[in-house]
Amino acid sequence: MEKAMNSNVVETVRAKMPETKRLYELSDFFKVMGDGTRIQLLWALEESEMCVGDLASLLNMTKSAVSHQLKVLRSAKLVRAQKKGKNVFYALDDEHVKIVLEKALEHVDE
């Protein structure tokens, strides 16, 4: 192990670092967000809750492909589903997802 050049800085930063487990969970979050199709789905759901058929039409995809991606997004707690009659409508899970999307787009636009 390397000896720190400035042990005070190292210890200060170490004390503020989240637990390794939490950082791996954050990494997994960004892996889910790192797929172009899932980002399109999230952005669409930021605008309005939608059913699988409407999302498939919007993104020119099959219902099966959309359903698969929505399952991944639900597992990551990025979207939620609500049954209304015979249809299931999807929406962003909470305001945090919207904020992450908007901040990321701001960064890309800079």
Side-chain angles (χ1 to χ4, degrees):
M1 185 183 281
E2 294 266 339
K3 181 165 171 36
M5 290 180 61
N6 188 337
S7 59
N8 290 339
V9 170
V10 170
E11 290 308 314
T12 300
V13 171
R14 181 176 284 135
K16 293 181 180 182
M17 292 279 291
E19 293 177 24
T20 302
K21 180 180 184 243
R22 289 187 68 211
L23 290 173
Y24 279 111
E25 290 170 352
L26 182 60
S27 175
D28 290 341
F29 168 84
F30 281 110
K31 286 176 188 173
V32 171
M33 297 281 283
D35 178 88
T37 298
R38 290 193 286 265
I39 288 291
Q40 290 180 71
L41 287 167
L42 289 168
W43 204 269
L45 295 174
E46 179 184 23
E47 295 297 323
S48 175
E49 71 176 18
M50 299 175 78
C51 65
V52 171
D54 290 344
L55 288 164
S57 177
L58 175 68
L59 301 181
N60 197 28
M61 296 173 61
T62 65
K63 288 181 183 179
S64 175
V66 168
S67 292
H68 172 74
Q69 296 301 335
L70 287 169
K71 181 179 178 184
V72 173
L73 292 169
R74 282 184 73 191
S75 294
K77 299 178 185 164
L78 296 172
V79 300
R80 60 181 162 75
Q82 182 178 4
K83 190 162 176 117
K84 294 183 181 177
K86 294 182 179 182
N87 290 317
V88 177
F89 286 84
Y90 293 85
L92 296 184
D93 191 62
D94 61 31
E95 189 69 16
H96 295 111
V97 179
K98 182 177 181 176
I99 292 167
V100 168
L101 287 171
E102 289 173 351
K103 290 296 179 186
L105 189 60
E106 280 178 31
H107 178 75
V108 168
D109 287 342
E110 285 183 359

